[in-house]
Amino acid sequence: MTSDSIPEQQAPATSGSYDSNPVKESFQQDIKIIKRKLNGYVGFANLPKQWHRKSVRRGFTLNIMVAGESGLGKSTLINTLFNREILKSELEEEDLSSGSKFVQIKNTNATIEEDGVKLKLNVITTPGFGEAVNNTDSWKPIVEEVNQRFDQYLEAESRINRSTVEDNRIHAFLYFIEPTGHSLNALDITLMKQIHEKVNLIPVIAKSDTLTDEEIVEFKQRILNDIKYQNIKTFKPLDYDNDDEETLLNTRQIMDKLPFAVVGSTKEVKTLDGRVVRGRSYPWGVIEVDNEEHCDFIKLRQLLVRNFMEELKEHTSNVLYEKYRTEKLSGMGIEQDQSVFREFDPLARQEEEKALHEAKLAKMEAEMKTVFQQKVSEKEKKLQRSEADLFSRHKEMKDKLSKQIKLLEDKKAQLEKQKSLPQEPPAPIPQKTRKGFLR
Ligand SMILES: Nc1nc2c(ncn2[C@@H]2O[C@H](COP(=O)(O)OP(=O)(O)O)[C@@H](O)[C@H]2O)c(=O)[nH]1
Ligand SMILES: [Mg+2]
């Protein structure tokens, strides 16, 4: 049967064999397929399964960098995490770093397999870190290594043929803090500050079996205060909207343990009650690695492998590398021409359209105002003109009338003068000789 066929028949067949496998448990939850309405079935519910098949075929890669002073149990912890001897024992390694007081960068590869799932593990160690008389610059080769891996990726990504881009970027950075019970030392702080924006920083308290429970609680608090005070960012998984209560609680429980107080041991020892466990034996009893009551090893493994390996990689790629890349390219004078992309930004587009619309409205309003004012002033002028007209006509009439009055008054005065003179017989009215047509 192929995996492309109807999923409800094959769901148990492929995932069933992973029951006991911690790495696969999270996949299993994802592949749950709801059996409903077969006639409406399109097929995209099968996508997680396709992804699953492809991932299993391709395998997984994880690049972990481990830093901290020598002898803090880094190699032991890596071997404990993956339950194999990935890093060689202390003695063999010492030959390599002894004599040289410089920090070296060492890469160890191992492909491990669990229930048919392949994991290509690259562990990058830093022998010599913190061992010089003056460690002021100890962090430099480590930061350079992280940068150089980003550069390599950037270069590969910019090639014309990108089919073989290999991801050597550091996905997780385990930093081992010496179990002093005091607080972080100057080198711890410097390294973390130099690297925290380039890697997923996961601080751990080394060899926590050398501290009492109370000491661990206090030490953790002091470390957290230092980290907060120094503005150092540590890895923090995102909460997703579709995460259920259980997942959210699980994430919270993991993150509550930061910085993880770990104990490493690949050796099996016998407990007082006769169980055989991975742990460290003391006269007063056994410290068990895989016991959450004893240390945070399980929580650290959940973070690194079981729950958040993909998120560590995604965050490296989408946030940390992206930031590095942007800074690198703008440092080279390459700038993004934002105008090219504005078309595709719906929000910017909307804003732009709104501004255009508003400008148009304002223009129309201004035009209307001018027209209106023009009309008003025309009317006013007309009114003024007719007023002047009226006024002048009024004046004209008044003048005419006063002239008439004057004329009449003159006549009146004349008549009165004549009246006051001695009466003379009125002059005979000259007889008109009518020669005319009335006869
Ligand atoms: N008490 C204790 N000792 C440990 C622990 N992990 C490792 N060791 C011991 O510390 C020594 C150095 O360990 P190693 O892993 O080589 O340290 P590295 O130099 O940091 O890689 C070895 O003797 C280990 O057995 C631990 O969690 N607790
Ligand atoms: Mg080592």
Side-chain angles (χ1 to χ4, degrees):
M1 188 198 292
T2 68
S3 311
D4 300 313
S5 56
I6 297 167
E8 37 266 56
Q9 289 148 5
Q10 45 150 343
T14 36
S15 53
S17 57
Y18 295 122
D19 272 349
S20 58
N21 179 354
V23 183
K24 298 273 17 110
E25 263 177 32
S26 54
F27 293 141
Q28 238 181 312
Q29 289 165 5
D30 291 340
I31 320 170
K32 224 177 258 168
I33 287 161
I34 301 157
K35 301 181 198 175
R36 227 185 281 153
K37 280 196 199 165
L38 197 66
N39 52 356
Y41 181 73
V42 178
F44 56 82
N46 206 32
L47 283 173
K49 204 176 294 293
Q50 294 178 24
W51 177 82
H52 180 194
R53 262 176 70 220
K54 198 175 84 181
S55 310
V56 170
R57 188 179 63 237
R58 265 199 325 221
F60 296 83
T61 310
L62 182 69
N63 306 326
I64 305 186
M65 194 162 191
V66 195
E69 282 170 40
S70 169
L72 287 183
K74 301 182 296 296
S75 306
T76 309
L77 190 81
I78 290 294
N79 295 343
T80 314
L81 272 170
F82 297 98
N83 211 13
R84 281 162 186 78
E85 201 194 34
I86 288 163
L87 297 177
K88 294 271 158 54
S89 78
E90 163 95 330
L91 292 170
E92 283 172 65
E93 229 173 68
E94 218 157 67
D95 296 332
L96 241 163
S97 60
S98 65
S100 138
K101 286 293 168 220
F102 296 109
V103 181
Q104 300 161 52
I105 305 292
K106 212 180 136 211
N107 199 349
T108 310
N109 306 318
T111 299
I112 57 180
E113 200 175 320
E114 191 172 56
D115 286 342
V117 179
K118 281 202 196 81
L119 177 65
K120 185 168 177 257
L121 193 64
N122 298 309
V123 183
I124 299 94
T125 49
T126 63
F129 175 76
E131 277 169 54
V133 181
N134 179 356
N135 286 307
T136 338
D137 290 340
S138 254
W139 54 271
K140 275 188 182 160
I142 297 176
V143 173
E144 271 161 22
E145 177 70 17
V146 171
N147 285 345
Q148 191 249 311
R149 282 165 182 263
F150 277 155
D151 286 339
Q152 190 202 2
Y153 194 85
L154 181 58
E155 196 264 325
E157 219 185 21
S158 316
R159 260 185 246 138
I160 292 175
N161 179 1
R162 299 189 302 182
S163 57
T164 54
V165 178
E166 202 182 328
D167 186 6
N168 290 321
R169 297 168 298 186
I170 304 294
H171 302 130
F173 186 93
L174 282 186
Y175 187 71
F176 281 65
I177 300 164
E178 195 186 344
T180 58
H182 308 310
S183 56
L184 296 177
N185 66 34
L187 183 57
D188 295 336
I189 291 173
T190 314
L191 176 73
M192 287 202 225
K193 282 188 90 160
Q194 293 295 333
I195 210 139
H196 72 132
E197 288 190 305
K198 297 172 188 286
V199 291
N200 289 311
L201 174 63
I202 303 167
V204 303
I205 298 174
K207 297 184 171 180
S208 69
D209 52 325
T210 59
L211 298 171
T212 66
D213 287 352
E214 297 82 57
E215 282 171 332
I216 289 174
V217 171
E218 282 170 27
F219 193 32
K220 276 191 179 183
Q221 198 47 57
R222 256 180 244 128
I223 293 169
L224 289 177
N225 289 346
D226 279 356
I227 283 177
K228 197 174 165 200
Y229 180 76
Q230 300 288 345
N231 271 324
I232 293 167
K233 289 188 204 94
T234 55
F235 173 69
K236 193 172 175 298
L238 297 170
D239 286 340
Y240 293 101
D241 289 345
N242 58 346
D243 277 348
D244 51 61
E245 265 310 305
E246 201 189 324
T247 310
L248 292 173
L249 181 71
N250 184 42
T251 306
R252 213 168 322 127
Q253 283 172 343
I254 293 177
M255 297 324 287
D256 276 350
K257 295 291 182 194
L258 206 85
F260 302 97
V262 294
V263 175
S265 170
T266 48
K267 295 198 181 72
E268 296 195 318
V269 291
K270 208 167 189 177
T271 61
L272 294 177
D273 54 4
R275 287 174 297 124
V276 178
V277 295
R278 292 198 298 177
R280 305 191 84 88
S281 237
Y282 286 95
W284 39 264
V286 165
I287 290 265
E288 298 172 34
V289 168
D290 300 284
N291 186 335
E292 296 207 44
E293 302 276 299
H294 292 199
C295 70
D296 305 331
F297 172 82
I298 291 211
K299 287 278 182 269
L300 174 67
R301 192 179 60 191
Q302 283 180 352
L303 177 82
L304 270 180
V305 184
R306 203 168 142 177
N307 296 139
F308 295 113
M309 190 192 286
E310 275 306 306
E311 185 152 338
L312 286 163
K313 293 173 74 174
E314 255 172 43
H315 192 250
T316 303
S317 188
N318 299 346
V319 180
L320 304 166
Y321 169 69
E322 233 7 76
K323 182 175 187 294
Y324 179 85
R325 185 177 162 277
T326 307
E327 283 169 5
K328 179 101 187 178
L329 294 182
S330 43
M332 285 161 73
I334 299 170
E335 261 171 48
Q336 188 82 60
D337 178 2
Q338 290 302 339
S339 66
V340 177
F341 293 94
R342 212 167 40 202
E343 287 266 312
F344 305 106
D345 182 352
L347 204 76
R349 186 82 189 260
Q350 217 175 34
E351 285 294 313
E352 207 173 303
E353 273 171 8
K354 197 176 148 206
L356 273 175
H357 184 68
E358 274 168 4
K360 205 165 141 189
L361 278 181
K363 202 179 155 213
M364 270 165 73
E365 202 183 309
E367 272 171 12
M368 273 163 71
K369 238 184 207 160
T370 341
V371 169
F372 177 74
Q373 259 161 11
Q374 248 169 19
K375 289 221 162 123
V376 168
S377 77
E378 264 168 35
K379 202 89 188 182
E380 262 175 359
K381 266 186 207 146
K382 225 184 220 167
L383 278 173
Q384 273 169 6
R385 243 181 290 146
S386 55
E387 199 179 19
D389 235 34
L390 270 175
F391 185 75
S392 66
R393 250 193 292 165
H394 171 79
K395 197 169 170 261
E396 214 174 284
M397 259 159 83
K398 210 172 136 189
D399 286 354
K400 223 178 186 170
L401 284 172
S402 21
K403 255 185 214 160
Q404 265 176 8
I405 290 174
K406 199 164 176 279
L407 230 107
L408 288 171
E409 269 172 357
D410 283 354
K411 225 173 206 157
K412 194 181 158 195
Q414 223 174 2
L415 285 174
E416 265 161 15
K417 211 168 132 192
Q418 278 178 5
K419 224 168 110 185
S420 65
L421 284 177
Q423 282 291 324
E424 271 178 44
I429 297 163
Q431 281 294 313
K432 271 184 186 169
T433 42
R434 298 179 181 188
K435 322 170 208 178
F437 56 87
L438 282 176
R439 298 256 174 143

